[in-house]
């Protein structure tokens, strides 16, 4: 059973929105606009010549869109009665105990050892009386022992199963970018599993986009490349029976966010750091040297713009991302620290793909999904 309901309160990662294109402040001279359009045409021509991506027409795109399944709607008007909900609560309590035992077997996991928790040691067959005494093990969800729960409102909905009721918690700092939407999709296990396969296909088949990232947004070139990628993403989605247009766009947007804002920035700053800290060169000289090496095609435009105009902003970001890296630190460790700093600065919240991976791990641990990959009844 899949479905979707409207939700509010979404939060998106900082810096993930591209600049608007209809603001007067973005107006450009006609000559620059013509150059921009010509550059876009040349980029698409070059992609066609190299066989990168697919040259899909608008008509073909609409044909592919029509082939995708529509999002099923869950009937949220039918609720379980009190007796059914009580039965469900006992089942959920047993799932919680399974997960507690799963955690206790994990290395480097420290659990509270008070009287409440010690009562669970050795307990396998649980009576209803014991579950009531332990208050259905709700404490695990409330005291932070678990990073998931059965969403209370969903426990009353007759159309859902327990996999759909299971929701990873959105931790401090908005761990998941659109958490409200993710748990409100009501997608089935099989749909979410297929979504992961679709994301892998996008990552592989749209890899060509990584070398065509533009950092001077907006531009006709970047817009045309994004459209080319989106059209291909929809075509790829037609190979997946459970992927809707909305899910296809979700996956494509999340992949594009990484390409546009995160790819290669850690390695780029690492190269500059080596020259600034080891060779005692200035930031600008180091940047120019790395630019001339052409090691990061996806960031050449960004470096060129900084060198030709003002590199002070890029230098400030560089110092922020390398603040914890000293000359005594080994190079592999330095790159790791810079990568973490880049990710942290981008406030890179996790997307639906990571949400699903977490949810499936939990579902397997508590027995909602059997070893052969089928949903438990």
């Amino acid at each position: 059973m899949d479905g979707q309901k409207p939700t509010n309160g979404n939060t998106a990662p900082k810096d993930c929105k591209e600049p608007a294109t209809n603001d007067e402040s973005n107006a450009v001279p006609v000559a620059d606009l013509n150059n921009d359009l010509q550059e876009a045409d040349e980029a698409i021509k070059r992609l066609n010549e190299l066989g990168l991506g697919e040259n899909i027409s608008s008509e073909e795109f609409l044909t592919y869109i029509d082939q995708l399944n529509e999002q099923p709607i869950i009937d949220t008007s039918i609720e379980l009665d009190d007796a059914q909900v009580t039965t469900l609560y006992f089942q959920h309590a047993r799932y919680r105990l399974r997960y507690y035992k799963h955690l206790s077997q994990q290395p480097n996991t420290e659990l509270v050892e008070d009287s409440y928790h010690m009562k669970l040691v050795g307990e396998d067959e649980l009576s209803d009386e014991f579950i009531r005494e332990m208050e259905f093990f709700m404490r695990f969800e409330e005291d932070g022992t678990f990073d998931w729960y059965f969403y209370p409102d969903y426990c009353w909905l007759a159309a859902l199963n327990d996999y759909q009721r299971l929701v990873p918690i959105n931790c401090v700092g908005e761990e998941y970018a659109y958490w409200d939407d993710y748990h409100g999709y009501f997608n089935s296990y099989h749909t979410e599993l297929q979504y992961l396969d679709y994301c892998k296909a996008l990552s592989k088949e749209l890899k060509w986009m990584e070398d065509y990232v533009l950092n001077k947004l907006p531009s006709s070139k970047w817009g045309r490349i994004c459209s080319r990628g989106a059209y291909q993403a929809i075509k790829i989605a037609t190979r997946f029976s459970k992927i809707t247009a909305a899910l296809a766009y979700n996956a494509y947007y999340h992949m594009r966010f990484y390409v546009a804002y995160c790819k290669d920035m850690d390695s780029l700053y690492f190269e500059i750091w080596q020259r600034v800290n080891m060779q005692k060169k200035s930031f600008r000289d180091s940047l120019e040297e790395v630019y001339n090496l052409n090691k990061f095609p996806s960031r050449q435009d960004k470096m060129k713009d900084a060198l030709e105009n003002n590199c002070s902003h890029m230098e400030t970001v560089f110092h922020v991302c390398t603040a914890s890296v000293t000359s005594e630190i080994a190079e592999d460790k330095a790159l790791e620290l810079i990568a973490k700093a880049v990710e942290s600065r981008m406030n890179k919240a996790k997307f639906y793909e990571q949400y699903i991976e977490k949810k499936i791990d939990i579902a397997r641990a508590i027995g909602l999904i059997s070893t052969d990959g089928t949903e438990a009844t």
Side-chain angles (χ1 to χ4, degrees):
M1 295 180 290
D2 300 311
Q4 188 171 7
K5 66 180 182 66
T7 56
N8 297 308
N10 295 328
T11 56
K14 183 177 65 178
D15 297 335
C16 75
K17 292 185 178 180
E18 296 175 5
T21 59
N22 59 351
D23 191 279
E24 291 182 2
S25 62
N26 289 322
V28 295
V30 174
D32 290 345
L33 180 60
N34 289 337
N35 289 336
D36 187 37
L37 293 172
Q38 182 179 354
E39 187 180 52
D41 289 339
E42 291 174 352
I44 297 302
K45 180 181 178 181
R46 186 163 56 252
L47 287 170
N48 289 335
E49 291 172 348
L50 295 173
L52 298 175
E54 295 188 39
N55 192 24
I56 298 171
S57 68
S58 298
E59 292 75 16
E60 290 173 317
F61 168 72
L62 293 175
T63 300
Y64 293 135
I65 281 282
D66 288 340
Q67 293 178 32
L68 300 181
N69 286 335
E70 294 185 3
Q71 182 77 33
I73 303 298
I74 290 289
D75 185 354
T76 58
S77 65
I78 303 175
E79 295 187 347
L80 300 175
D81 59 33
D82 289 345
Q84 290 172 317
V85 170
T86 299
T87 300
L88 193 67
Y89 282 176
F90 279 109
Q91 181 60 49
H92 288 179
R94 291 179 168 87
Y95 285 140
R96 292 186 189 101
L97 183 60
R98 285 182 194 172
Y99 195 73
Y100 180 81
K101 290 181 177 295
H102 167 76
L103 285 181
S104 68
Q105 297 169 1
Q106 303 307 304
N108 303 319
T109 299
E110 295 184 5
L111 298 175
V112 177
E113 295 185 357
D114 58 16
S115 58
Y116 180 92
H117 290 75
M118 293 305 293
K119 282 185 179 181
L120 305 179
V121 177
E123 290 288 345
D124 292 316
E125 295 298 326
L126 302 181
S127 66
D128 288 354
E129 290 74 18
F130 181 75
I131 291 175
R132 287 185 184 277
E133 177 190 347
M134 302 301 286
E135 298 178 329
F136 296 88
F137 310 116
M138 290 292 294
R139 176 172 168 176
F140 296 143
E141 296 180 358
E142 297 165 355
D143 68 5
T145 300
F146 292 176
D147 54 1
W148 61 273
Y149 64 137
F150 290 106
Y151 201 78
D153 291 347
Y154 300 164
C155 293
W156 289 91
L157 302 183
L160 301 184
N161 60 33
D162 281 338
Y163 179 84
Q164 292 164 311
R165 297 182 180 108
L166 175 64
V167 175
I169 291 174
N170 208 26
C171 299
V172 176
E174 301 294 349
E175 180 177 5
Y176 298 104
Y178 298 96
W179 181 78
D180 286 338
D181 284 346
Y182 299 159
H183 70 72
Y185 286 155
F186 296 151
N187 283 324
S188 69
Y189 163 68
H190 294 292
T191 295
E192 295 196 327
L193 192 64
Q194 194 173 95
Y195 182 86
L196 296 182
D197 291 336
Y198 175 63
C199 288
K200 292 176 183 176
L202 286 189
S203 179
K204 179 180 179 181
E205 297 179 45
L206 296 185
K207 191 173 180 62
W208 60 267
M209 290 186 68
E210 294 184 359
D211 291 331
Y212 289 85
V213 172
L214 293 182
N215 294 279
K216 294 173 65 176
L217 302 173
S219 72
S220 296
K221 180 180 176 182
W222 177 237
R224 292 278 296 278
I225 289 173
C226 285
S227 294
R228 185 183 182 92
Y231 283 17
Q232 187 178 353
I234 293 299
K235 180 181 179 181
I236 294 170
T238 62
R239 308 200 309 255
F240 296 84
S241 62
K242 296 182 181 297
I243 298 300
T244 64
L247 288 177
Y249 276 121
N250 269 353
Y252 172 67
Y253 168 77
H254 300 159
M255 184 214 72
R256 199 183 75 184
F257 169 77
Y258 167 76
V259 170
Y261 293 96
C262 301
K263 182 183 182 296
D264 288 339
M265 290 307 298
D266 52 351
S267 297
L268 170 59
Y269 286 142
F270 175 70
E271 290 285 341
I272 296 174
W273 172 81
Q274 287 181 310
R275 290 158 176 79
V276 170
N277 286 273
M278 302 301 187
Q279 302 175 27
K280 306 304 179 184
K281 295 183 178 180
S282 69
F283 174 82
R284 194 187 189 289
D285 288 345
S286 299
L287 177 64
E288 185 172 15
E289 186 174 320
V290 175
Y291 172 77
N292 290 331
L293 291 174
N294 196 24
K295 290 183 64 174
F296 308 104
S298 65
R299 299 301 167 186
Q300 286 298 103
D301 283 335
K302 183 180 184 70
M303 289 187 281
K304 181 180 179 182
D305 182 59
L307 290 168
E308 292 180 350
N309 296 289
N310 187 341
C311 63
S312 60
H313 174 70
M314 192 172 182
E315 182 174 3
T316 298
V317 175
F318 163 77
H319 286 301
V320 170
C321 293
T322 59
S324 63
V325 186
T326 64
S327 56
E328 293 78 20
I329 294 178
E331 290 192 351
D332 57 343
K333 182 63 175 178
L335 179 57
E336 178 185 337
L337 291 173
I338 293 172
K340 288 182 178 179
V342 169
E343 182 173 320
S344 175
R345 184 180 180 279
M346 292 307 301
N347 193 20
K348 186 184 175 185
K350 296 177 182 177
F351 289 121
Y352 192 36
E353 181 181 3
Q354 291 77 37
Y355 177 92
I356 293 172
E357 290 172 341
K358 177 66 176 179
K359 182 175 179 177
I360 288 178
D361 284 345
I362 297 165
R364 285 175 176 159
I366 65 178
L368 277 178
I369 301 170
S370 61
T371 54
D372 62 0
T374 58
E375 287 183 87
T377 57

